[in-house]
């Protein structure tokens, strides 16, 4: 039977958190610098005398090994199957971001966005399937969906993260693939006053890509923990500032085609040539200020209250300059000469040659983003008697993202008026561009004109085929989300087989809205192409990494309103990107913890009642050239799910144990797919090619949109694991999981009633007397058959001092995850890759730590996967991201005695091998490919190495 006061709203959280902080406090006690962790690590294990003597070895738990020991202890003590990462000390998680730390855990993988780990996939499933908590409370997201972007949470303010791979019935909102619980310190359990200061300078490798954006920055954090009033009041305060630059050398291929009519020599007529490309240099400044405040009150063993506050503001400025051009035989009468070819996958690929009559478009883009996140939670715990507890938790989380996405066009030469179908050559000067493709890395180009010449390069539309009809565009996406939650639960301890029984209810309200204001940009004075005044110019930007030379660089923060007018874009795409979602989720739960001999675990059930509603519009824009008349629509649905769960542990003694878990899990649908928006289309040529007699019914209506009636993703999951805890810093684990997805959400075609939508004028082309049915087809996300996903995870950590004492401090940590799936969401049976699924993911870290000296090097690898990215017009879509890896290293020293005791110095290099980000053309079975089915490269980016030098001081 458990005794003592329950320290948090959920007992599973309590045991690990108490252990984590107890071990931390012991490790920091000057009088007792070593701890026999095996003696305190698992209160539910058999007595120490019954266990292998190797578990009683004492180890020094400081620095990196202390964080490792804490993580292993959490993994061992949780009844659910979990992975954990813990801070080495206050403000010292092992990586520069919390996402980087999480990505090294077994079965987890990060997706790099602009060179930084941002979103996480658990067990081969997309971030949509994961729930993120802060101290057990759901967090609002700033993106289009539910997936939290971890760069809003500074690692310096967190004490650790626990990833639940199997459910705990007491935790509401558990994800289908897993749940990430970010945790902050508890000042009363910390047990002593502590102040920690961290300072780091940061430099991105190489020269500035854009001269007006620096490539150096820094970060700083300050943490304070103390206890007052005889240990009944505790306070923890933390502040973290980030000023981090990043750079991106970007190349993208638009596609490949054969242009035999425009190619010489004739032997290259069938060769695949690039039909378009872009080369951009992007510089970013990422700034974030974050604050935590924790107030804890425990006047006696009966009352315990904790107030958590968290706030962060993340600002990003992104400057992109470069060139893009079509190399298409159907545009501008382009020809290709001196073409050299190579065989690729049974096809012929043009690898070098000369493009004649190319017209590069010079891009100057300036994007900004501001994310504001605020979370507050108040937890009150009451011990009604020695066996009965009652917990009440109130929480609120809100997140708001405001963005500006700005692009402008320029080109060589200057003309009067704008490019149109009638004036296709206004201000368009043709160039001759040599090209050479590379098997790996960037292609090499050599242009004939000087695109940095401010006397020749003017603002204005230079696109072929009559131009793009505008001189730029600016968009303002705005996403707001808020979550209110009330959690009430009670528990009672018993003697006998059931050690505790608990029950409770959680009510969560989530509101999310998205608005995107779109504007075309038109040059003033009737779109007259215009040279840029030198006062608005910056030093030219070099594209030498692709051989292109320099391009004109404009300071759009000052020049935008001088040269451009704005006109709102009110097309169907605009209306489809605006929506509101509201959800009420009530979760009833009951759980019983049990223990019998070497068996222990829990059995639980959740009953989840969900009510959802979306407000959107039917976008009546079927009449060409006429304004869209949106028709407001509100729709929703209600669902109930029953989710049983079992977590079972069998302790074999000697640190060996077996785990088994079975559960039904669910994940709420993507919020952008729940939008009520409908975009109709009308086929006025429905009678073309077929007879339409009077009285005959035709169905010319069709539509696409979202689905406010979506049911959740649902799955039945089974887990089995073997674990061997050798000592506090060494363990081995092998785990297998199997998930049957009972339903999956994918795009399907159904029926929709278009009654009430006026017929467009083009309907007059349908013969008189023919009946136009209001029933048509609609393509939208819908629930369908699922499939299975299964995997094997092998992980471990080994301190070589376990085998030979002189090697103490030298160790290795690693994991490999193998995942496969037969999920096939395509209704026609076509094979489709599931978002987030990488067949192989592995991580390995080698470390050495002794006498204050510390060094480590880490590598993580992720096999090719389908990832979600931002695409045209500020919309999100999927692409195939190729194998991705990253190597990081650090070295440091902490003074152990003397006047500088507690002072540490650190040097880190992230992305040590400057590994590229790459995608391929097409997705799943689509896109241009060679004769043998091989795909062709699309995007190639390099970010450069990131160097950090810092100091930290704790007193």
């Amino acid at each position: 039977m458990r005794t003592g006061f329950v320290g948090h709203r959920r007992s599973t959280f309590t045991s690990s958190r108490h252990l984590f902080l107890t071990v931390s406090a012991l490790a920091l006690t000057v009088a007792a610098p070593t701890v026999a962790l095996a003696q305190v690590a698992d209160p539910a294990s058999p007595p120490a005398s019954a266990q292998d003597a190797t578990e009683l070895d004492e180890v020094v738990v400081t620095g990196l090994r202390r964080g490792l020991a804490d993580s292993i202890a959490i993994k061992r003590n949780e009844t659910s199957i979990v992975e954990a990462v813990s801070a080495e000390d206050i403000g010292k998680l092992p990586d520069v971001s919390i996402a980087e730390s999480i990505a090294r855990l077994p079965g987890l993988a990060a997706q790099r966005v602009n060179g930084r780990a941002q979103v996480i996939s658990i067990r081969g499933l997309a971030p949509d399937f994961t729930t993120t908590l802060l101290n057990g409370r759901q967090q609002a997201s700033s993106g289009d969906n539910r997936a939290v972007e971890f760069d809003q949470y500074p690692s310096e303010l967190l004490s650790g993260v626990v990833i639940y791979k199997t459910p705990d019935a007491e935790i509401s909102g558990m994800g289908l693939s897993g749940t990430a619980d970010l945790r902050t310190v508890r000042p009363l359990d910390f047990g002593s006053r502590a102040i920690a200061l961290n300072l780091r300078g940061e430099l991105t490798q190489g020269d500035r890509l854009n001269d007006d954006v620096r490539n150096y920055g820094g970060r700083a954090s300050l943490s304070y923990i103390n206890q007052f009033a005889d240990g009944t009041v505790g306070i923890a305060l933390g502040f973290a500032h980030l000023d981090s630059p990043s750079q991106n050398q970007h190349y993208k291929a638009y596609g490949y085609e054969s242009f035999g009519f425009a190619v010489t020599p004739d032997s290259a007529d069938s060769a695949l040539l690039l039909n378009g490309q872009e080369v951009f240099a992007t510089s970013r400044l990422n700034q974030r200020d974050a604050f935590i405040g924790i107030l804890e009150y425990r006047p006696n063993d009966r009352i315990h209250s904790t107030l958590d506050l968290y706030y962060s503001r993340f600002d990003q400025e992104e400057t992109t300059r470069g060139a893009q051009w079509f190399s298409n035989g159907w545009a501008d009468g382009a020809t290709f000469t001196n073409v050299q070819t190579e065989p690729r996958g049974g096809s012929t690929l043009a690898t070098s040659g000369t493009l004649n009559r190319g017209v590069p478009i010079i891009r100057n883009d300036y994007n900004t983003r501001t994310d504001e996140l605020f979370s507050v939670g108040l937890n009150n715990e009451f011990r009604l008697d020695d066996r009965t507890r009652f917990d009440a938790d109130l929480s609120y989380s809100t997140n708001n993202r405001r963005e500006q996405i700005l692009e402008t066009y320029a080109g060589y030469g200057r003309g009067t008026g704008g490019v149109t179908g009638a004036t296709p050559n206004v201000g368009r000067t043709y160039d001759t561009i040599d090209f050479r493709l590379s098997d790996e890395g960037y292609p090499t180009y050599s242009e004939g004109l000087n695109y940095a010449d401010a006397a020749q390069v003017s603002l204005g539309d230079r696109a072929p085929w009559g131009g793009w009809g505008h001189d730029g565009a600016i968009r303002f996406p705005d996403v707001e989300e808020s979550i209110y939650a009330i959690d009430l639960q009670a528990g009672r301890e018993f003697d006998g087989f059931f050690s505790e029984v608990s029950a409770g209810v959680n009510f969560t309200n989530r509101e999310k809205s998205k608005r995107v204001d779109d504007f075309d940009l038109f040059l003033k004075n009737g779109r007259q192409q215009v040279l840029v005044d030198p006062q608005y110019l910056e030093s030219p930007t070099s594209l030498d990494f692709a051989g292109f030379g320099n391009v004109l660089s404009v300071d759009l923060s000052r020049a935008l309103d001088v040269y451009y007018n704005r006109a709102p874009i009110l097309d169907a795409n605009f209306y489809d990107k605006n929506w509101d979602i509201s959800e009420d989720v009530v979760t009833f739960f009951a759980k019983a913890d049990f223990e019998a001999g070497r068996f222990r675990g829990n059995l639980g059930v959740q009953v989840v009642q969900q009510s959802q509603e979306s407000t959107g519009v039917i976008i009546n824009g079927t009449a060409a050239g006429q304004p869209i008349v949106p028709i407001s629509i509100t729709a929703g649905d209600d669902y109930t799910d029953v989710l049983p769960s079992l977590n079972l542990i069998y302790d074999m003694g000697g640190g060996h144990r077996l785990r088994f878990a079975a559960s039904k899990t669910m994940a709420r649908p993507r919020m952008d797919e729940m939008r009520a928006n409908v975009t109709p289309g009308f086929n006025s040529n429905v009678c073309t090619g077929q007879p339409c007699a009077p009285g005959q019914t035709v169905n010319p209506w069709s539509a696409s949109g979202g689905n406010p009636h979506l049911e959740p993703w649902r799955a039945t999951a089974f887990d089995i694991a073997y674990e061997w805890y050798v000592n506090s810093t060494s363990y081995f684990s092998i785990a297998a999981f199997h998930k049957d997805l009972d339903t999956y959400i994918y795009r399907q075609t159904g029926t929709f009633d278009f009654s009430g939508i006026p017929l467009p004028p083009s309907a007059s082309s349908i013969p008189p007397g023919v009946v136009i049915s209001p029933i048509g087809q609609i393509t939208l996300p819908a629930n369908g058959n699922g499939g299975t996903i299964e995997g094997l995870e092998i992980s471990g950590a080994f301190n070589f001092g376990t085998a030979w004492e002189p090697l103490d401090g030298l160790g290795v940590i690693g994991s490999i995850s193998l995942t496969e799936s037969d999920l096939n969401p395509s209704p026609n049976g076509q094979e489709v890759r599931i978002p987030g699924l990488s067949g192989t993911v592995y991580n390995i870290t080698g470390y050495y730590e002794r006498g204050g000296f510390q060094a480590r090097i880490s590598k993580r690898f992720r096999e090719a996967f389908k990832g979600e990215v931002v695409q045209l017009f500020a919309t999100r879509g999927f692409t195939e991201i190729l194998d991705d890896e990253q190597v990081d290293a650090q070295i440091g020293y902490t003074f152990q005695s003397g006047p500088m005791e507690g002072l540490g110095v650190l040097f880190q290099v992230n992305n040590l091998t400057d590994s590229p980000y790459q995608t391929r053309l097409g997705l799943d079975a689509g896109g241009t490919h060679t004769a043998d089915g091989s795909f062709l490269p699309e995007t190639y980016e390099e970010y450069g190495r990131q160097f950090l030098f810092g100091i930290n001081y704790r007193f």
Side-chain angles (χ1 to χ4, degrees), residues 63-85:
L64 189 152
R65 283 183 292 167
R66 171 185 156 189
L68 174 60
D70 290 341
S71 299
I72 293 175
I74 293 173
K75 178 178 176 69
R76 178 175 181 171
N77 280 272
E78 283 284 355
T79 307
S80 300
I81 296 176
V82 305
E83 306 295 344
V85 59

Side-chain angles (χ1 to χ4, degrees), residues 852-869:
F853 175 80
Q854 180 190 109
R856 72 173 175 91
I857 184 167
S858 301
K859 178 182 179 179
R860 70 171 189 260
F861 169 84
R862 181 176 190 182
E863 197 175 33
F865 67 102
K866 182 177 179 178
E868 188 177 22
V869 297

Side-chain angles (χ1 to χ4, degrees), residues 49 120 139 142 209 293 331 366 395 442 448 474 493 804 808 816 820 828 882:
S49 60
I120 300 295
Q139 293 295 285
S142 58
L209 293 186
Y366 180 64
S395 64
Y442 299 101
I474 187 169
E493 298 172 357
W804 189 33
D808 186 50
I816 183 169
E820 64 179 18
N828 59 11
L882 302 184

Side-chain angles (χ1 to χ4, degrees), residues 139-149 399 479 481 510 512:
Q139 293 295 285
S141 165
S142 58
D144 291 6
N145 297 297
R146 304 173 193 276
V148 166
E149 296 179 0
N399 209 327
V479 179
E481 181 174 10
R510 184 189 299 260
K512 195 177 192 95

Side-chain angles (χ1 to χ4, degrees), residues 469-512:
H470 59 178
D471 302 305
I474 187 169
R475 311 176 194 281
F476 297 96
D478 191 323
V479 179
E480 295 186 27
E481 181 174 10
S482 62
I483 300 176
Y484 299 85
I486 302 173
D487 190 279
L488 304 173
Q489 57 179 261
R492 182 168 179 82
E493 298 172 357
F494 298 92
D495 295 322
F497 178 74
F498 290 107
S499 57
E500 182 177 9
V501 175
S502 57
V505 61
N506 175 281
F507 171 79
T508 299
N509 169 264
R510 184 189 299 260
E511 307 276 349
K512 195 177 192 95

Side-chain angles (χ1 to χ4, degrees), residues 608-640:
V608 186
Q609 296 180 347
Q610 307 145 72
S611 177
Q612 61 197 46
E613 185 177 87
S614 173
T615 298
V617 292
I618 298 176
I619 305 163
N620 181 18
T622 56
Q626 298 299 314
I628 291 175
V629 181
I631 302 172
S632 180
I633 181 174
T634 299
D637 228 316
D638 300 292
Y639 301 104
T640 299

Side-chain angles (χ1 to χ4, degrees), residues 111 119-122 124-132 138 141 143-150 173-179 510 512 666-673 712-713 744-745 834-836 862 866-869 876-878:
Q111 178 178 329
V119 293
I120 300 295
S121 294
I122 300 178
L125 290 170
D128 305 321
F129 294 92
T130 300
T131 297
T132 300
Q138 291 188 50
S141 165
D144 291 6
N145 297 297
R146 304 173 193 276
V148 166
E149 296 179 0
F150 289 96
M174 295 288 287
L176 185 144
S177 62
T179 302
R510 184 189 299 260
K512 195 177 192 95
M666 56 161 276
R668 298 280 302 138
R670 287 172 58 105
M671 302 197 81
D672 60 345
E673 292 185 339
W713 286 292
Y744 198 81
I745 297 172
I834 302 305
R862 181 176 190 182
K866 182 177 179 178
E868 188 177 22
V869 297
R876 301 187 71 85
F878 293 99

